[in-house]
């Protein structure tokens, strides 16, 4: 029997190893950005084309590489941060160059340009699928530029499994945000398909958070700081009243490295206990500083999961720090049972001068005297002249002509036919939630919210794909400020919103858009919230193609606009819901797959009363 086990060729082994490190274009972004940070760069540019499938390029002004380092960084098992096995537990950097570049070069076209400060010429290396095509001197600025083109060109199966550009861009922006929030002292740029999405100058942590998540974030966060022998904690946490359903604004760093830890997240949520409703998530940007010898960061290839040798102590300290921060800024309620409420100054009297009370006495007042005439049966409050209209009815002559008018009975029969004629009889509303109707088959019960969702969903989807919906022009445009990634998502769904009935002016600068028109079903006061909710839904979900994007937009709008449970409806509105529901393509389930209606037959009702 022949041997079964054999050694893999180098190019096959490189491609398999690359699959562990490079899962999607965002993985390349993470590695290249971290390399540029450790190259002591003060300015880093990230360029993306076609969601990273065509190009991922990082340009920095760091220390650059020598000719030998430029060649060695693409070799397998080459690294700049490990010399001995013990170094795995003393890591203070993310890695200058090496190891990951070999995996990236195995599945893409890579062009490297680099030059050190003291060299007159730099080095250019071109690699195609682990094969070095050329290496030559070149004129290039100080620093390093790495361009990764046609990712997964030699692994078409992996390329076919990539998601849509919207999803891949979202993952890229997530990785970009994690790096820029960990290093606010570096100037970062992000360009997507030639458009500038982020321009983040160097500054402090608060300035970086505000620049990434728009100016409103400045008033929504509280500073957090706690230092102990075990761990140092600093950063910011969001105020409880601004908690959201999504976790897009939750960042936890250990030694300036982004991590995911459900255990520490539970500690942070414990600090907010009793201050936010169930299902909502607070914002936080928390940075932990721990001695590297107490960490193990190599339990996961992406290094986003970490083990602590004393995680229980860190849990308790982090939870207490969050509680202390909320109490320090008077966000959490404080109870003092020894305080005497009678000694507290009322809130409305703060800052007012104390004045001696005075008593006004009428020396001529006689309690046995006759009351003034104006107080007898007439009001003394109005002392002005007689109203002018009274003069119209005074001194009228008695011989005014009498005008006879012909009586025309009101034609009420013109409106008798406006009532909606349906096949349903005796339509009623129950608990302001269900619509009841007697049908030939029995008693029909319809959930009004889900029914209206189905009606609106099919209407919105028809407007997007077939006929354009109506638009209601606004007297005063509504201005919205969208940050970089939100502006990208808005541009992706702008055409669909236009067909639904929205009208925009996007010629403003700094990510400001003006809403000029809205669909008739949407209130003017809700327009901005509806669009923000749409952006959140698209950013948190996976979108495979254009139809999937339109479907999610229609579902989100239907959920936002539909009548709520608990809302009282008129008789005509109840009949209209039933009539429009049974005109839908599917009247049995809502757009989210939940049942809309149920019919109780006479047999079912009879069984309820059978002994």
């Amino acid at each position: 029997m022949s041997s079964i086990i054999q050694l893999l060729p180098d190019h096959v082994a490189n491609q398999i190893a690359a699959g562990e490190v490079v899962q999607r274009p965002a993985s390349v972004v993470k590695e290249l950005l971290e390399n540029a940070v450790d190259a002591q760069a003060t300015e880093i540019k990230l360029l993306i084309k076609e969601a990273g499938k065509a190009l991922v390029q990082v340009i920095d002004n760091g220390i650059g590489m020598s000719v030998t380092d430029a060649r060695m960084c693409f070799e397998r098992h080459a690294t700049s941060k490990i010399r001995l096995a013990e170094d795995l537990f003393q890591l203070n950097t993310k890695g200058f160059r090496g190891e990951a570049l070999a995996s990236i070069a195995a599945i893409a076209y890579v062009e490297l340009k680099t030059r050190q400060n003291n060299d007159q010429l730099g080095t250019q290396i071109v690699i195609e699928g682990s094969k070095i095509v050329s290496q030559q001197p070149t004129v290039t600025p100080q620093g390093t530029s790495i361009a990764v083109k046609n990712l997964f060109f030699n692994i078409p199966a992996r390329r076919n499994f990539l998601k849509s550009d919207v999803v891949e861009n979202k993952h890229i922006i997530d990785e970009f945000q994690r790096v820029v929030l960990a290093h606010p002292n570096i100037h970062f740029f992000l360009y997507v398909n030639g458009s500038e999405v982020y321009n983040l100058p160097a500054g402090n942590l608060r300035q970086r958070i505000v620049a990434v998540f728009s100016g409103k974030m400045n008033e929504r966060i509280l500073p957090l700081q706690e230092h102990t022998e075990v761990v140092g904690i600093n950063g910011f946490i969001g105020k409880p009243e601004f908690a959201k359903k999504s976790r897009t604004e939750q960042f936890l760093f250990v030694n300036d490295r982004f991590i995911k830890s459900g255990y520490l997240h539970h500690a942070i949520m414990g600090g907010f206990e009793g201050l936010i409703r169930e299902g909502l998530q607070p914002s936080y940007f928390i940075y932990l500083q721990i001695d590297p010898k107490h960490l193990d960061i190599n339990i996961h290839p992406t290094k986003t999961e970490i083990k602590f040798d004393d995680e229980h102590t860190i849990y308790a300290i982090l939870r207490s720090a969050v509680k202390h921060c909320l109490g320090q800024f008077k966000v959490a309620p404080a109870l003092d049972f020894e305080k005497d409420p009678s000694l507290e100054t009322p809130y409305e009297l703060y800052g007012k001068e104390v004045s001696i009370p005075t008593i006004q006495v009428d020396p001529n007042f006689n309690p046995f005297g006759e009351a003034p005439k104006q107080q007898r049966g007439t009001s003394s409050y109005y002392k002005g002249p007689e109203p002018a209209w009274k003069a119209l009815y005074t001194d009228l002559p008695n011989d005014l002509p009498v005008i006879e008018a012909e009586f025309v009975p009101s034609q009420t029969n013109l409106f008798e036919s406006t009532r909606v004629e349906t096949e349903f009889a005796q339509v009623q509303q129950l608990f302001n939630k269900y619509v009841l109707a007697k049908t030939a088959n029995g008693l029909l019960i319809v959930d009004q919210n889900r029914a209206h969702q189905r009606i609106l969903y099919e209407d919105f989807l028809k407007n997007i794909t077939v006929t354009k919906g109506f638009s209601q022009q606004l007297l005063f445009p509504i201005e919205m400020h969208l940050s970089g990634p939100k502006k990208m998502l808005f541009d992706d769904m702008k055409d669909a919103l236009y067909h639904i009935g929205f009208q925009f002016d996007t010629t403003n600068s700094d990510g400001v858009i003006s809403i000029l028109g809205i669909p008739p079903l949407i209130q003017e006061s809700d327009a901005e919230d509806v669009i923000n909710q749409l952006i959140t839904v698209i950013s948190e979900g996976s979108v495979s193609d254009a139809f999937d994007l339109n479907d999610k937009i229609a579902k989100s709008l239907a959920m936002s606009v539909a009548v709520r449970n608990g809302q009282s409806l008129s008789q005509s509105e109840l009949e209209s819901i039933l009539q429009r529901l049974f005109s839908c393509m599917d009247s049995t389930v809502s757009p989210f797959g939940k049942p809309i209606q149920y019919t109780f037959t006479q047999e079912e009702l009879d069984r309820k009363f059978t002994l």
Side-chain angles (χ1 to χ4, degrees):
M1 183 176 179
S2 60
S3 300
I4 299 177
I5 300 175
Q6 58 183 351
L7 293 175
L8 288 173
D10 287 342
H11 70 281
V12 177
N14 288 340
Q15 291 179 3
I16 295 175
E20 299 180 0
V21 178
V22 184
Q23 301 173 357
R24 56 188 349 132
S27 304
V28 178
V29 171
K30 175 180 182 295
E31 295 293 340
L32 297 185
L33 286 178
E34 290 182 347
N35 289 165
V37 169
D38 279 352
Q40 304 175 23
T42 60
E43 183 178 288
I44 300 175
K45 295 180 180 179
L46 172 62
L47 289 76
I48 302 296
K49 288 185 179 179
E50 297 181 14
K53 303 169 188 176
L55 174 67
V56 176
Q57 184 175 9
V58 173
I59 305 172
D60 67 70
N61 63 348
I63 60 176
M65 290 186 288
S66 64
V67 177
T68 302
D69 286 344
R71 183 66 178 265
M72 285 293 296
C73 70
F74 291 105
E75 298 295 331
R76 290 188 63 192
H77 310 303
T79 180
S80 61
K81 58 185 177 181
I82 298 175
R83 295 293 183 268
L84 302 173
E86 290 78 8
D87 293 341
L88 290 171
F89 302 96
Q90 294 291 336
L91 295 178
N92 292 303
T93 66
K94 300 178 178 64
F96 173 53
R97 293 290 187 309
E99 194 173 7
L101 290 181
S103 299
I104 295 172
I107 53 175
Y109 296 93
V110 178
E111 181 181 6
L112 167 69
K113 293 182 179 180
T114 183
R115 182 177 72 85
Q116 292 181 324
N117 184 30
N118 298 327
D119 297 336
Q120 294 183 351
L121 292 176
T123 303
Q124 180 184 21
I125 297 178
V126 179
I127 299 178
E128 296 180 2
S130 295
K131 297 180 180 179
I132 297 180
V133 177
S134 66
Q135 177 177 346
Q136 58 187 0
T138 186
V139 177
T140 184
Q142 176 189 341
T144 303
S145 169
I146 300 180
V148 180
K149 305 175 183 178
N150 297 331
L151 193 64
F152 299 123
F153 79 97
N154 52 359
I155 311 180
R158 175 63 65 88
R159 188 178 182 93
N160 292 335
F161 273 96
L162 293 178
K163 304 297 182 180
S164 65
D165 286 359
V166 175
V167 176
E168 296 301 335
N169 277 329
K170 175 182 177 297
H171 287 287
I172 289 173
I173 290 175
D174 287 344
E175 294 293 348
F176 179 80
Q177 289 178 347
R178 293 166 183 174
V179 175
V180 301
L181 288 173
H183 304 280
N185 58 323
I186 301 176
H187 192 170
F188 285 93
F189 297 86
L190 172 60
Y191 300 91
V192 177
N193 297 327
S195 300
E196 183 180 273
V197 177
Y198 277 122
N199 182 353
L200 306 173
N204 57 39
L205 181 56
R206 178 185 281 271
Q207 293 171 336
R208 177 56 51 89
I209 294 173
V210 171
V212 172
F213 294 100
S214 78
K216 293 183 179 180
M217 184 62 68
N218 188 38
E219 59 190 27
R220 298 180 180 180
I221 55 178
L222 303 171
L224 172 70
Q225 192 167 8
E226 191 72 38
H227 292 284
T228 66
E229 296 180 356
V230 178
V231 59
I233 303 175
N234 69 315
F236 294 88
I237 58 176
K239 296 179 181 179
E241 60 265 30
F242 297 108
K244 302 179 179 180
K245 293 184 179 180
S246 64
R247 300 179 59 174
T248 55
E249 295 177 358
Q250 295 181 347
F251 295 85
L252 183 61
F253 300 87
V254 174
N255 296 348
D256 294 335
R257 185 188 296 273
F258 174 82
I259 68 164
K260 297 177 181 179
S261 174
Y263 187 68
L264 295 183
H265 172 74
H266 188 270
I268 299 170
M269 294 299 294
F272 284 90
E273 185 178 3
L275 299 177
I276 58 177
R277 299 198 312 269
E278 184 178 357
L280 296 182
Q281 298 289 334
S283 303
Y284 59 78
F285 309 86
I286 299 179
Y287 299 74
L288 307 181
Q289 294 296 326
I290 304 175
D291 192 335
K293 66 182 180 182
H294 298 303
L295 302 174
D296 184 2
I297 66 173
N298 290 291
I299 63 173
H300 193 273
T302 61
K303 297 180 176 61
T304 56
E305 298 179 10
I306 291 181
K307 277 189 176 181
F308 306 92
D309 60 1
D310 191 6
E311 59 183 5
H312 299 290
T313 302
I314 296 175
Y315 179 98
I317 295 174
L318 181 57
R319 186 174 185 271
S320 299
V322 173
K323 277 186 170 294
H324 179 260
C325 175
L326 294 173
Q328 179 183 5
F329 291 94
K330 302 185 185 302
V331 176
L335 297 178
D336 188 354
F337 296 99
E338 298 180 357
K339 184 181 294 185
D340 187 357
S342 63
L343 300 178
E344 290 293 314
T345 304
Y347 177 79
E348 61 271 12
L349 298 181
Y350 274 107
K352 293 186 177 180
E353 296 183 359
V354 179
S355 60
I356 300 176
T358 59
I359 300 176
Q360 295 181 356
V361 179
D362 185 3
N364 300 322
F365 175 73
N366 183 4
F368 303 100
E370 186 178 359
K373 292 184 178 181
Q374 63 270 20
Q375 295 181 358
R376 293 183 178 180
T378 60
S379 174
S380 61
Y381 293 104
Y382 179 76
K383 299 183 182 300
E386 289 289 334
W389 59 268
K390 287 188 176 183
L392 299 175
Y393 299 92
T394 59
D395 300 330
L396 292 176
N398 296 326
D399 56 347
L400 289 177
V402 178
I403 302 175
E404 296 183 358
E406 181 181 0
F407 175 73
V408 179
S410 60
Q411 300 179 0
T412 56
N413 58 339
L414 293 176
F415 303 96
E416 290 178 354
S417 61
T418 58
R419 179 180 175 87
V420 180
E421 297 293 338
T422 66
E423 59 177 333
F424 308 102
Q426 303 175 6
V427 179
Q428 300 291 334
Q429 188 179 26
L430 180 64
F431 306 136
N432 287 342
K433 181 177 181 180
Y434 300 106
V435 182
L436 307 182
K438 179 183 176 182
T439 65
N441 298 326
L443 177 64
L444 175 67
I445 303 178
V446 174
D447 186 299
Q448 65 184 33
N449 174 256
R450 297 177 184 177
H452 202 207
Q453 283 183 9
R454 165 55 64 176
I455 295 168
L456 295 175
Y457 165 72
E458 294 195 4
D459 287 346
F460 286 138
L461 202 58
K462 181 180 179 181
N463 290 337
I464 295 174
T465 56
V466 182
T467 59
K468 184 181 181 302
F470 295 102
S471 179
Q472 177 180 336
Q473 298 297 310
L474 297 179
L475 183 60
F476 300 102
I478 302 174
E479 289 192 351
M480 289 183 60
H481 180 82
L482 300 178
S483 59
K486 289 185 177 181
K487 183 64 166 56
M488 290 176 54
L489 293 173
F490 171 79
D491 291 338
D492 291 332
M493 62 184 186
K494 183 171 60 176
D495 291 340
L497 294 178
Y498 171 76
H499 284 89
I500 289 174
F502 283 97
Q503 291 187 2
F504 303 99
D505 180 10
T506 58
T507 59
N508 300 324
S509 59
D510 298 330
V512 177
I513 65 170
S514 297
I515 305 175
L516 305 179
I518 57 177
L521 291 173
I522 296 178
Q523 299 293 330
E524 181 178 351
S525 58
D526 298 334
E528 186 174 355
D529 292 336
V530 167
I531 293 179
N532 280 323
Q533 179 65 23
L534 272 174
I535 294 174
T536 302
V537 169
I538 301 302
S539 65
E540 293 177 353
S542 58
V543 181
S544 57
D545 50 26
F547 176 79
D548 191 20
L549 176 64
N550 295 337
D551 182 71
K552 289 185 182 299
I553 292 174
K555 286 181 179 178
S556 179
L557 281 174
M559 183 174 61
S560 300
V561 180
V563 295
R564 304 296 181 187
N565 288 329
Q567 181 176 344
S568 178
L569 302 177
S570 65
Q571 187 70 19
S572 60
E573 289 173 333
L574 295 173
E575 294 177 355
S576 176
I577 283 182
L578 292 182
Q579 188 180 52
R580 295 175 63 191
L581 173 64
F582 287 94
S583 299
C584 293
M585 296 180 62
D586 187 353
S587 61
T588 58
V589 295
S590 72
F592 303 95
K594 297 181 179 179
I596 295 177
Q597 56 171 295
Y598 186 80
T599 301
F600 278 100
T601 63
Q602 182 178 352
E603 291 77 10
E604 289 179 300
L605 293 174
D606 290 341
R607 284 196 296 269
K608 296 294 182 181
F609 294 94
T610 302
L611 295 177

